[in-house]
Amino acid sequence: MFSDASEFLKSRIGKQVTDSPSPFMSWLKPVMVEVNEGSIVFEYTIRKEMTNPFGTLHGGVTAAIIDDAIGATLISYGEPYFYVSVNLAVDYLSSARKGDIIFAQTTIIKKGRQIVNAQCDIWNSDRSRLIAKGYTNLIKTEIKK
């Protein structure tokens, strides 16, 4: 089953996500950059509506990018169930502005039968500056994809 899910995700590399099961992810408009089982890299362009009054990436949007990117990563396992976040902790370390390109790189740290522990790092365009780091636990639902 992983190969089907993996092939589906890999067929999206280099393309903007517009048909996600998450309408919010479709609004974020990430580009799929890299896909591995338990890890995905997305590229985002910061748009005006993603910024706060200071013109920098809004913290809530940052948290949502982390949450959605990790959720999408679980697809790489090919399971038929959706997972939902139980908690989400975000460390905001630097800023990004309108027009900036950022990368979100996810890692599944531990995947149990019901609970998943994961993290997501958000980097600037050349991946030299860490913008934010998020950690979450997710639980498997009874809801099938």
Side-chain angles (χ1 to χ4, degrees), residues 7 11 50 52-53 63 78 80 88 92 97 102 112 116 119 125 129 131:
E7 290 308 312
S11 74
M50 298 166 88
N52 60 27
L88 177 65
Y92 299 95
R97 297 193 161 281
I102 61 170
V116 173
Q119 75 178 41
S125 62
R129 184 171 38 90
I131 293 169

Side-chain angles (χ1 to χ4, degrees), residues 12-98:
R12 301 289 201 261
I13 290 175
K15 298 177 185 171
Q16 189 176 77
V17 176
T18 57
D19 57 351
S20 171
S22 166
F24 191 74
M25 178 172 270
S26 294
W27 179 82
L28 289 169
K29 301 179 183 178
V31 173
M32 185 100 47
V33 174
E34 185 179 317
V35 175
N36 295 296
E37 185 178 54
S39 178
I40 291 182
V41 177
F42 289 103
E43 175 186 307
Y44 300 82
T45 300
I46 307 304
R47 303 185 313 271
K48 181 180 179 182
E49 61 269 22
M50 298 166 88
T51 63
N52 60 27
F54 303 108
T56 60
L57 179 61
H58 191 287
V61 175
T62 303
I65 287 171
I66 290 167
D67 188 61
D68 248 21
I70 289 171
T73 303
L74 289 168
I75 293 171
S76 71
Y77 289 101
E79 293 183 5
Y81 296 99
F82 281 104
Y83 286 75
V84 295
S85 298
V86 175
N87 63 348
L88 177 65
V90 180
D91 296 326
Y92 299 95
L93 306 168
S94 189
S95 63
R97 297 193 161 281
K98 176 185 164 199

